[in-house]
Amino acid sequence: MKYIYVIIFLGFTAINCSDEDGRLSPSGKDIDWFVVKDADDELEHLRYSIYEKTGITVCYTTKLGEQDRGEDAFGDRIIHEEFLSPEYWITKADNISYTCPRNREYIKNGLLFIQDRIIPSLPSGVYPRCILLVEDLYERKGRDRWKRDVYLGSMALVVSNAGKLHEMAGVDRQAFELDIYTYLWFKHIQVNYASDLVKFYAISENSVVWPAENLNRELYDHWVSERSNSSDRVPYKAHWNGYGFLLCNPERTTSEGYITPTKEQDVRSFIRTVLEYEDDGFAKKYEGREGETLLLGKYRLIKDIIRKVEAKK
């Protein structure tokens, strides 16, 4: 009996994908909206040049394109428009806001910045599928609103400051570039080196001796305070370096003590440090610190991953 249902289903499918004469034809809806086509316009030609060489789609507007899908029952044209929504994930949506640039000179500067400064410094395996250039970028978490330079979304890496790139120089530009590299490396490592990250987290987690009565043994994103004896607090260390962290959580403040970083903040801090420091420079900076061995272990683990990826370039 089940075979009859399958045949009926396939029959309806064939009818739905055929023209008036019953001939099978493509629906025309399976478009790769990230493909960039060449055009006479200077900005669009520059986008095409980047795409042709790297496969990266660089956008300065959220509209990816449109498609004529025929007529509706009333004879009106059906025009489908496809938009980029980097804040949307399968199970959630981040609360971000941004403004797309309108000044053509700013847009050109942004495209050239991506082409000449960002892409050449990355192994091809770390390339994002899409980069969205914006003027300004904000992320809201609860009641707090944070200004961002970079946001890593589901569909694109959002890069802010399109209108300021022509003014950036020296240390400011280098710091901005480092932010972009860090987010792209984080995404690549998160997706492709998950087992290594388990070892990375364990270096800090295994450094803590948890009291038997402690009910919550999560080290990340938790309050640390000398005066707290609560069973859900992290055993006290005066400085976050003692746990093998390079930073505390910059997005959560407390009147006493500090909040340990999230896992993403922890990984990104070490990626940025590996990109910024040579081995000797890092070792010298943290020599004699509480947690020195932990910090060096996590630094070397991230360094080894980056070296592996770069070797494939």
Side-chain angles (χ1 to χ4, degrees):
M1 186 71 178
K2 64 181 180 180
Y3 296 111
I4 295 176
Y5 290 126
V6 172
I7 292 171
I8 294 173
F9 171 77
L10 292 175
F12 279 119
T13 302
I15 293 171
N16 191 49
C17 298
S18 61
D19 59 20
E20 294 180 355
D21 296 324
R23 292 180 300 228
L24 293 177
S25 59
S27 66
K29 297 180 182 179
D30 53 343
I31 292 177
D32 184 349
W33 294 101
F34 291 94
V35 171
V36 179
K37 297 179 180 179
D38 200 2
D40 293 332
D41 180 82
E42 180 186 17
L43 299 180
E44 289 301 299
H45 179 70
L46 185 52
R47 288 182 66 231
Y48 170 76
S49 178
I50 295 172
Y51 177 80
E52 184 183 35
K53 295 173 183 175
T54 67
I56 300 173
T57 303
V58 185
C59 301
Y60 49 85
T61 176
T62 55
K63 185 175 178 179
L64 292 171
E66 61 182 39
Q67 180 190 36
D68 186 336
R69 293 187 173 176
E71 297 181 352
D72 61 17
F74 301 98
D76 297 322
R77 304 305 299 176
I78 303 173
I79 305 299
H80 170 77
E81 296 182 326
E82 188 74 14
F83 290 90
L84 186 65
S85 302
E87 66 271 29
Y88 285 97
W89 303 79
I90 294 176
T91 58
K92 65 171 185 174
D94 292 330
N95 191 350
I96 69 167
S97 58
Y98 46 82
T99 305
C100 292
R102 295 179 179 274
N103 185 297
R104 289 181 62 84
E105 192 63 30
Y106 292 167
I107 295 170
K108 182 179 178 180
N109 289 338
L111 292 171
L112 291 173
F113 172 73
I114 297 297
Q115 174 186 265
D116 300 335
R117 301 289 300 179
I118 300 303
I119 294 174
S121 299
L122 292 169
S124 58
V126 184
Y127 287 175
R129 184 177 190 186
C130 181
I131 296 175
L132 174 63
L133 290 169
V134 299
E135 287 271 9
D136 47 45
L137 173 64
Y138 294 92
E139 183 175 11
R140 183 175 292 280
K141 292 184 177 181
R143 296 182 179 180
D144 298 320
R145 186 171 182 253
W146 302 87
K147 190 177 188 307
R148 303 294 192 200
D149 288 331
V150 185
Y151 166 79
L152 185 61
S154 61
M155 301 171 67
L157 179 79
V158 183
V159 176
S160 187
N161 299 311
K164 300 177 182 178
L165 288 173
H166 66 290
E167 301 173 350
M168 280 190 185
V171 175
D172 289 340
R173 173 168 282 213
Q174 290 173 8
F176 183 48
E177 292 171 2
L178 200 55
D179 278 343
I180 297 173
Y181 302 147
T182 297
Y183 274 90
L184 291 175
W185 272 107
F186 170 73
K187 180 66 174 180
H188 183 78
I189 292 173
Q190 182 187 47
V191 171
N192 298 284
Y193 292 88
S195 60
D196 292 275
L197 288 184
V198 171
K199 298 174 186 177
F200 175 88
Y201 303 136
I203 291 175
S204 287
E205 290 172 333
N206 293 340
S207 72
V208 178
V209 179
W210 297 93
E213 68 276 10
N214 195 302
L215 303 177
N216 179 16
R217 301 197 175 194
E218 174 61 51
L219 178 60
Y220 283 93
D221 202 21
H222 274 272
W223 180 42
V224 177
S225 171
E226 185 176 14
R227 293 199 300 172
S228 175
N229 296 315
S230 175
S231 61
D232 66 345
R233 300 304 182 210
V234 177
Y236 177 74
K237 291 186 181 181
H239 196 278
W240 47 85
N241 286 167
Y243 303 104
F245 297 138
L246 291 173
L247 78 175
C248 61
N249 191 324
E251 297 178 1
R252 295 183 62 193
T253 58
T254 176
S255 58
E256 182 180 330
Y258 56 90
I259 310 295
T260 58
T262 65
K263 288 182 174 180
E264 178 177 339
Q265 290 168 350
D266 188 25
V267 176
R268 283 199 282 109
S269 70
F270 275 92
I271 292 173
R272 185 185 178 98
T273 301
V274 167
L275 297 176
E276 190 173 13
Y277 285 92
E278 296 295 333
D279 293 357
D280 292 344
F282 179 81
K284 185 176 181 180
K285 181 176 181 179
Y286 291 95
E287 185 177 4
R289 297 274 188 96
E290 182 184 11
E292 175 187 359
T293 302
L294 306 175
L295 294 167
L296 285 172
K298 294 171 76 173
Y299 173 89
R300 287 167 181 158
L301 195 154
I302 295 297
K303 181 85 171 183
D304 287 344
I305 294 174
I306 291 178
R307 281 175 173 167
K308 290 177 188 176
V309 178
E310 289 179 334
K312 299 176 183 178
K313 187 173 181 179

